[in-house]
Amino acid sequence: MKKEEYRRRFFSIEEKMDEKKVDALIIGTSAQLDQRGLFRWLLGYYLPVYEEAMVLCPGRSPMYFAHNGGSVFQLKEAPIQMEIQVIPSDTYLEDEAKPVAEYLRKIKAKRVAFAGMAGISAKYYVSLKRNINVEIIDFSKEIAALRMVKTEFEIEQAREAVLLNEKSFMKYAEEVYCGNNEKNALMTARAYTDALGAEDQYWMSGAGSRATAVSQGMALERASVFEDEQLVYVVAEHSVVGGVFGEVCQNIKLGKKDDEFEEAHHAVVAAILAAKEKIRTGNYVWEVAQAAENYLVKEGWLKADSIAKKQTPIGHGQGFDFWEYPSVIQSSQDLITPGIRFNLHPSVPLRSGNSVSYCMSFVSTIGEAERLGNLSTAPLYR
């Protein structure tokens, strides 16, 4: 991505700061797989470990607070000139936000905001509050709204990422047969996905009488054996080199044709296609969620009162983190503009207690939404 785009992002943040009368903004996050994308988006920087932060103050160079010299080495390649301070190890362990607070006092910051709350530990926040005696405003949604609209570079990466995830998922599916197990399927699919050139991999897998998807670590440990007539559920969310994620989630049915499973699968696909028609510039995100859920209520798969009570998203955005805004839920007031990603994956229950789901990814345009990827929408049997 060009340096001009990074500069534009900093300028957009400063405009938001001016709008909210914020004179210092702390941006911080951790190396969690679903949080580190904030610095990738802002600096092209892959946060390797722990948690780090920076302070933006209009009229001053950004001040970055690094965990160690390795971070400093990587940040020398950043597209934005910054001052960098390494937090001493003893301070990092005992009072890690103290250097940030000292800097804020030095520049006499009066109205302070924080973006990235979800990625920062309670330990960091307690340290910050202990060392600074001003109100801290949560600025996370303002940054999330800026990240929600993708550049052409991010959209092209998204196209590549979804295709990679589809190939990765199908490799897992090839390993789903009676007598094999989740561990072998995951290890084979992971090796294959590495060979495809994935940057990060995130898997969930579910098999058994209740195909509840669990994290890769738990799936590897339990190594459930695939048996005839089982319903398997797999989630793959991997990133390509460059940092953008894609997603696939789908059920795999072992054994003979199952009418209930097929009807449920087709209903989910039809609900997604109904939702797709609402992914249009000028509409609101809630209309997308409503279209899918209204279809499933009309067809008898869901109950309207249950939807209203649970308020569960049927999808989300994606980019340098595998979950980003918008949250596709009927309470969302986000306006759709060109360049917003939608990963839609509603689910419906079966009599057995299992659920059936399927994911399609889209990006909004001036006109009809573009589908990312081309995975078959047919029910998948093994």
Side-chain angles (χ1 to χ4, degrees), residues 168-180:
S168 176
F169 167 78
M170 290 307 298
K171 175 55 69 173
Y172 183 105
E174 289 175 9
E175 298 300 313
V176 177
Y177 54 85
C178 293
N180 202 9

Side-chain angles (χ1 to χ4, degrees), residues 138-174:
D138 189 356
F139 208 76
S140 301
K141 285 189 177 180
E142 283 75 10
I143 298 293
L146 293 174
R147 293 180 65 186
M148 190 167 67
V149 181
K150 309 306 181 188
T151 63
E152 188 52 46
F153 169 82
E154 291 170 288
I155 293 170
E156 185 54 43
Q157 280 237 311
R159 294 184 184 110
E160 181 185 345
V162 173
L163 290 173
L164 179 143
N165 277 266
E166 290 179 350
K167 293 176 182 176
S168 176
F169 167 78
M170 290 307 298
K171 175 55 69 173
Y172 183 105
E174 289 175 9

Side-chain angles (χ1 to χ4, degrees), residues 32-43:
Q32 297 174 68
L33 192 58
D34 62 341
Q35 297 294 332
R36 62 157 55 103
L38 177 54
F39 281 149
R40 194 65 173 273
W41 175 80
L42 192 60
L43 298 169

Side-chain angles (χ1 to χ4, degrees), residues 62-289:
M63 174 63 81
Y64 195 95
F65 295 86
H67 174 262
N68 56 34
S71 298
V72 175
F73 179 78
Q74 291 185 65
L75 286 163
K76 285 180 180 178
E77 303 298 320
I80 301 294
Q81 284 194 324
M82 302 179 292
E83 296 181 50
I84 303 174
Q85 177 181 333
V86 176
I87 302 173
S89 297
D90 56 345
T91 303
Y92 192 92
L93 290 171
E94 300 296 330
D95 205 5
E96 64 177 299
K98 182 178 179 181
V100 172
E102 289 173 342
Y103 178 73
L104 292 170
R105 286 197 296 272
K106 177 183 174 183
I107 64 174
K108 296 182 171 58
K110 293 181 174 59
R111 189 166 165 82
V112 177
F114 199 121
M117 287 283 193
I120 286 292
S121 66
K123 173 174 167 282
Y124 187 98
Y125 188 71
V126 168
S127 170
L128 184 63
K129 291 290 287 183
R130 181 169 58 241
N131 284 286
I132 186 169
N133 190 29
V134 297
E135 179 189 4
I136 300 173
I137 302 158
D138 189 356
F139 208 76
S140 301
K141 285 189 177 180
E142 283 75 10
I143 298 293
L146 293 174
R147 293 180 65 186
M148 190 167 67
V149 181
K150 309 306 181 188
T151 63
E152 188 52 46
F153 169 82
E154 291 170 288
I155 293 170
E156 185 54 43
Q157 280 237 311
R159 294 184 184 110
E160 181 185 345
V162 173
L163 290 173
L164 179 143
N165 277 266
E166 290 179 350
K167 293 176 182 176
S168 176
F169 167 78
M170 290 307 298
K171 175 55 69 173
Y172 183 105
E174 289 175 9
E175 298 300 313
V176 177
Y177 54 85
C178 293
N180 202 9
N181 62 56
E182 282 183 299
K183 181 178 181 180
N184 289 338
L186 278 167
M187 291 178 67
T188 299
R190 277 194 61 87
Y192 174 79
T193 307
D194 276 337
L196 289 176
E199 185 176 276
D200 278 318
Q201 295 188 47
Y202 175 81
W203 290 92
M204 294 184 75
S205 173
S209 57
R210 289 293 299 273
T212 303
V214 299
S215 67
Q216 173 186 282
M218 291 180 68
L220 288 171
E221 183 177 354
R222 72 185 183 185
S224 292
V225 176
F226 300 127
E227 298 177 359
D228 193 31
E229 301 305 316
Q230 274 188 344
L231 189 66
V232 178
Y233 182 57
V234 183
V235 179
E237 294 188 79
H238 317 317
S239 60
V240 293
V241 173
V244 172
F245 281 86
E247 178 178 17
V248 171
C249 61
Q250 187 173 345
N251 297 87
I252 305 166
K253 180 69 171 65
L254 286 95
K256 64 180 182 293
K257 177 180 169 66
D258 183 317
D259 289 339
E260 186 192 18
F261 162 64
E262 289 201 13
E263 289 169 8
H265 177 86
H266 288 309
V268 168
V269 171
I272 293 171
L273 294 177
K276 178 201 173 190
E277 293 305 308
K278 295 296 182 180
I279 304 176
R280 293 183 180 272
T281 296
N283 285 353
Y284 287 88
V285 171
W286 65 262
E287 296 178 76
V288 179

